[in-house]
C-alpha cells in the first residue's frame, strides 16, 4: 500500500509538471503570436517630415529618439503559475522557461565555447543568462516588487537585442550584452516611452551616457538603450544626426502625443550602415557564395557547385570553376552599379563612385589578406565564417589600414 501510494504521488507530480510546462509553452507561443509590428516607413533625402507619418508628426507633442544596436532579437517575460515565479526568455523562434529563483544555466547551459560554431543555438541561452543574472543580482524584496509591477500592470514582454562579439552584423561588437528598449502590453503593443524608461530606471537597468555609444568589456551586460526627448521641430536635425552616426545601426524615432502615447514610429539607418550592407551583400553573392560552392578556380573544395544561380566565366559554355580575376572584374562592375542605386542615401549622385571605390579596394584587400593565405578546407571554412559573423570587425581592420569610408560629401577624405 505504501509503495502504491508513493507511485501514485510520483505520477501525480509528473502529470502536474507536464501540464505546467504545456501551459507555459502555450502561453509564450500564443503571446508571441499576439505581438504586432507597428507600420514602418522610410525617409527620403528630400523631406524627412513629409515621409515619416506626416499627419502623426504634425499632431505630435514631442519625439523620443532611441539608439538602436545591431544585435539579435531578444524577448523576456515573467509569469506566476500556482504561486511559483518563472522567467521566460527567447528570440524569434525560441522560448526558454525556468524557475525565477534559480540561475537559467541550471536548465539551459550556455555553450562552453563562444564562437561562430554556436550561433544557431546560443541566442536563447545567452538571453536567458543575462536576464537571469540581472534578476538574481537584486535583493529578494526588489525581485518581488519587480514581479508584482510587471504582472499587475499587465505587461507581457520586455523587448531587447542580444549583442555577441562572435555574431556581428555591420557594427563592431566588443562585449557580450543585452540592450532592452521597450515593454509590450497585453495586446502586444509598446507602452508609452516615458513609462518604459521609468520602469527601467525604477528597477535600476543601467542607462548609457550619450557620449558612451559603444559598450566595452566591463560595462553592465544588461542595460537599456540610450534615448533622448526632442521637440517636433527638431525632426530633421534628429534624422540628420542619426544618418551621420558611425558607431551604431541607427535610431528609432517615436512621434508621441502630449500624454506620451505613440502616434507613429520610424527606424532610421545610418548612411554607413546602408552602404556597408550593400557592400557586404554584393560581395556575399558574387565572391563569398561562389567560394563556398567551390565555383572559383584554384582554392580548396568545401561545397558542391550549384546547378542554378552559379557564376559563369567569360565562356558561358564552360561549366568548370571560374578564374578569380574574372570573378573580381565582374564583382567590381556590379559594385559600381549597386552603389549608384542607393538613391535614398543623401549625396548618392555625388558619392556613389567613392563608395564603390571603397568596396573595390576592400574586396582586393580581403582576397590578399584572407583568401590567398588559405591552404586547406579548414582555412577556407574559417574565412567564410569570419565574413559571415565578424564582417564589421573585419571592415574596421581594413579601415585602420586603408582609411575610413567617406559617406557624406562634406567629409574630408
Amino acid at each position: 500500500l505504501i509503495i502504491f501510494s508513493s507511485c501514485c504521488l510520483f505520477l501525480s507530480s509528473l502529470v502536474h509538471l507536464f501540464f505546467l510546462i504545456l501551459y507555459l509553452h502555450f502561453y509564450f507561443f500564443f503571446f508571441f503570436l499576439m505581438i504586432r509590428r507597428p507600420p514602418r516607413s522610410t525617409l527620403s533625402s528630400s523631406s524627412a517630415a513629409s515621409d515619416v507619418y506626416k499627419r502623426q508628426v504634425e499632431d505630435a507633442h514631442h519625439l523620443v529618439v532611441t539608439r538602436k544596436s545591431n544585435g539579435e532579437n531578444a524577448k523576456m517575460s515573467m509569469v506566476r503559475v500556482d504561486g511559483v515565479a518563472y522567467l521566460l526568455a527567447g528570440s524569434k523562434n525560441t522560448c526558454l522557461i525556468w524557475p525565477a529563483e534559480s540561475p537559467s544555466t541550471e536548465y539551459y547551459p550556455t555553450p562552453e565555447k563562444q564562437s561562430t560554431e554556436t550561433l544557431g543555438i546560443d541566442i536563447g541561452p545567452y538571453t536567458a543568462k543575462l536576464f537571469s543574472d540581472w534578476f538574481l543580482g537584486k535583493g529578494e524584496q526588489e525581485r518581488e516588487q519587480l514581479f508584482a509591477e510587471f504582472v499587475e500592470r499587465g505587461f507581457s514582454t520586455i523587448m531587447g537585442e542580444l549583442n555577441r562579439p562572435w555574431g556581428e552584423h555591420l557594427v563592431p561588437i566588443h562585449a557580450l550584452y543585452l540592450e532592452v528598449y521597450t515593454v509590450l502590453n497585453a495586446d502586444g503593443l509598446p507602452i508609452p516611452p516615458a513609462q518604459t524608461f521609468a520602469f527601467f530606471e525604477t528597477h535600476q537597468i543601467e542607462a548609457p551616457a550619450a557620449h558612451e555609444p559603444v559598450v566595452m568589456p566591463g560595462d553592465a551586460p544588461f542595460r537599456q538603450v540610450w534615448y533622448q526627448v526632442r521637440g517636433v521641430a527638431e525632426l530633421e536635425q534628429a534624422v540628420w544626426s542619426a544618418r551621420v552616426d558611425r558607431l551604431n545601426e541607427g535610431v528609432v524615432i517615436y512621434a508621441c502625443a502630449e500624454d506620451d502615447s505613440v502616434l507613429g514610429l520610424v527606424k532610421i539607418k545610418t548612411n554607413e550602415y546602408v552602404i556597408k550592407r550593400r557592400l557586404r551583400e554584393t560581395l556575399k553573392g558574387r565572391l563569398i557564395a561562389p567560394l563556398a560552392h567551390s565555383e572559383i578556380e584554384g582554392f580548396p573544395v568545401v561545397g558542391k557547385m550549384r546547378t542554378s544561380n552559379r557564376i559563369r566565366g567569360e565562356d558561358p559554355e564552360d561549366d568548370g570553376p571560374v578564374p578569380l580575376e574574372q570573378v573580381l572584374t565582374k564583382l567590381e562592375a556590379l559594385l559600381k552599379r549597386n552603389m549608384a542605386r542607393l538613391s535614398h542615401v543623401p549625396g548618392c549622385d555625388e558619392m556613389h563612385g567613392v563608395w564603390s571605390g571603397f568596396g573595390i579596394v576592400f574586396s582586393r584587400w580581403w582576397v590578399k589578406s584572407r583568401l590567398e593565405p588559405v591552404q586547406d578546407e579548414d582555412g577556407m571554412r574559417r574565412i567564410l565564417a569570419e565574413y559571415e559573423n565578424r564582417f564589421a570587425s573585419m571592415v574596421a581592420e581594413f579601415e585602420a589600414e586603408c582609411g575610413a569610408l567617406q559617406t557624406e560629401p562634406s567629409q574630408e577624405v
Side-chain angles (χ1 to χ4, degrees):
L1 182 62
I2 294 175
I3 294 174
F4 177 76
S5 300
S6 299
C7 290
C8 289
L9 181 62
F10 177 72
L11 290 174
S12 175
S13 300
L14 285 179
V15 170
H16 183 271
L17 180 61
F18 170 78
F19 280 106
L20 169 62
I21 294 173
L22 188 65
Y23 166 81
L24 290 172
H25 274 78
F26 271 98
Y27 169 87
F28 213 48
F29 175 74
F30 285 110
F31 156 72
F32 277 168
L33 289 182
M34 287 195 306
I35 297 174
R36 299 194 296 271
R37 184 184 296 277
R40 295 185 293 182
S41 181
T42 57
L43 293 175
S44 71
S45 58
S46 57
S47 175
S50 65
D51 292 335
V52 189
Y53 299 97
K54 184 174 182 180
R55 182 179 62 79
Q56 289 93 331
V57 170
E58 290 174 348
D59 293 340
H61 177 266
H62 61 278
L63 307 173
V64 178
V65 182
T66 64
R67 186 180 287 147
K68 189 178 186 305
S69 60
N70 193 214
E72 302 291 342
N73 177 279
K75 300 181 176 75
M76 295 141 280
S77 190
M78 313 175 205
V79 295
R80 290 189 189 275
V81 180
D82 290 343
V84 179
Y86 291 88
L87 298 183
L88 302 92
S91 185
K92 295 176 181 177
N93 300 308
T94 59
C95 168
L96 308 180
I97 306 167
W98 69 98
E101 295 301 320
S102 299
S104 67
T105 50
E106 289 186 6
Y107 298 84
Y108 309 104
T110 54
E112 293 182 6
K113 182 181 178 183
Q114 296 179 345
S115 73
T116 57
E117 298 172 5
T118 65
L119 284 174
I121 60 173
D122 66 0
I123 297 175
Y126 274 112
T127 300
K129 174 177 167 50
L130 295 177
F131 183 39
S132 178
D133 289 350
W134 170 77
F135 181 82
L136 293 176
K138 298 181 171 299
E140 183 177 351
Q141 186 175 0
E142 291 178 300
R143 297 198 296 271
E144 283 298 322
Q145 291 173 346
L146 170 61
F147 235 98
E149 181 177 359
F150 190 87
V151 173
E152 289 170 8
R153 294 181 65 179
F155 296 160
S156 59
T157 308
I158 301 171
M159 300 293 296
E161 292 208 15
L162 176 69
N163 292 267
R164 301 160 300 164
W166 59 94
E168 296 174 339
H169 294 293
L170 293 158
V171 178
I173 299 174
H174 305 284
L176 174 68
Y177 68 99
L178 202 163
E179 191 171 64
V180 294
Y181 58 85
T182 194
V183 177
L184 304 184
N185 61 22
D187 293 323
L189 298 174
I191 66 174
Q195 294 182 29
T196 291
F197 293 110
F199 176 77
F200 291 165
E201 288 157 16
T202 296
H203 298 288
Q204 301 175 331
I205 301 178
E206 184 167 321
H211 63 280
E212 297 175 342
V214 179
V215 179
M216 301 300 291
D219 292 342
F222 191 88
R223 55 201 297 117
Q224 61 173 288
V225 296
W226 172 87
Y227 75 97
Q228 182 182 56
V229 179
R230 305 187 70 158
V232 175
E234 298 179 274
L235 176 61
E236 295 283 355
Q237 177 62 32
V239 171
W240 181 86
S241 298
R243 281 180 161 157
V244 299
D245 185 5
R246 302 183 67 92
L247 298 174
N248 295 279
E249 177 183 326
V251 300
V252 177
I253 300 178
Y254 298 83
C256 299
E258 189 170 2
D259 64 359
D260 203 50
S261 59
V262 177
L263 302 175
L265 64 83
V266 65
K267 293 180 182 178
I268 309 293
K269 303 291 188 182
T270 70
N271 295 340
E272 183 155 326
Y273 176 93
V274 175
I275 296 163
K276 288 182 176 178
R277 189 177 190 279
R278 180 62 56 93
L279 169 63
R280 183 189 68 178
E281 296 306 302
T282 302
L283 266 67
K284 186 175 180 179
R286 292 305 178 97
L287 180 60
I288 304 303
L291 284 168
H293 290 279
S294 307
E295 296 169 1
I296 300 180
E297 189 176 273
F299 296 99
V301 175
V302 293
K304 294 182 179 180
M305 284 190 178
R306 295 170 289 187
T307 56
S308 60
N309 297 324
R310 55 161 299 189
I311 58 169
R312 299 284 180 179
E314 295 176 356
D315 181 1
E317 301 300 322
D318 186 356
D319 289 331
V322 180
L324 176 62
E325 195 56 39
Q326 292 184 24
V327 174
L328 293 177
T329 299
K330 290 188 175 183
L331 170 63
E332 291 169 5
L334 182 60
L335 277 169
K336 292 177 182 179
R337 293 197 300 272
N338 283 353
M339 292 302 178
R341 291 170 180 157
L342 292 177
S343 57
H344 55 290
V345 179
C348 177
D349 289 345
E350 182 178 352
M351 297 298 297
H352 68 83
V354 175
W355 304 338
S356 60
F358 178 90
I360 289 169
V361 176
F362 172 75
S363 63
R364 294 282 180 172
W365 174 87
W366 186 85
V367 168
K368 184 174 180 61
S369 67
R370 298 302 198 269
L371 183 57
E372 289 181 358
V374 168
Q375 297 180 350
D376 54 29
E377 292 181 26
D378 289 341
M380 179 63 74
R381 290 192 176 93
R382 278 194 298 272
I383 67 167
L384 295 177
E386 180 193 35
Y387 188 94
E388 183 69 23
N389 303 302
R390 295 281 290 166
F391 181 82
S393 290
M394 191 166 55
V395 172
E397 179 187 338
F398 164 73
E399 290 181 301
E401 293 182 19
C402 304
L405 171 65
Q406 182 184 358
T407 59
E408 289 83 38
S410 59
Q411 285 182 269
E412 295 183 4
V413 179

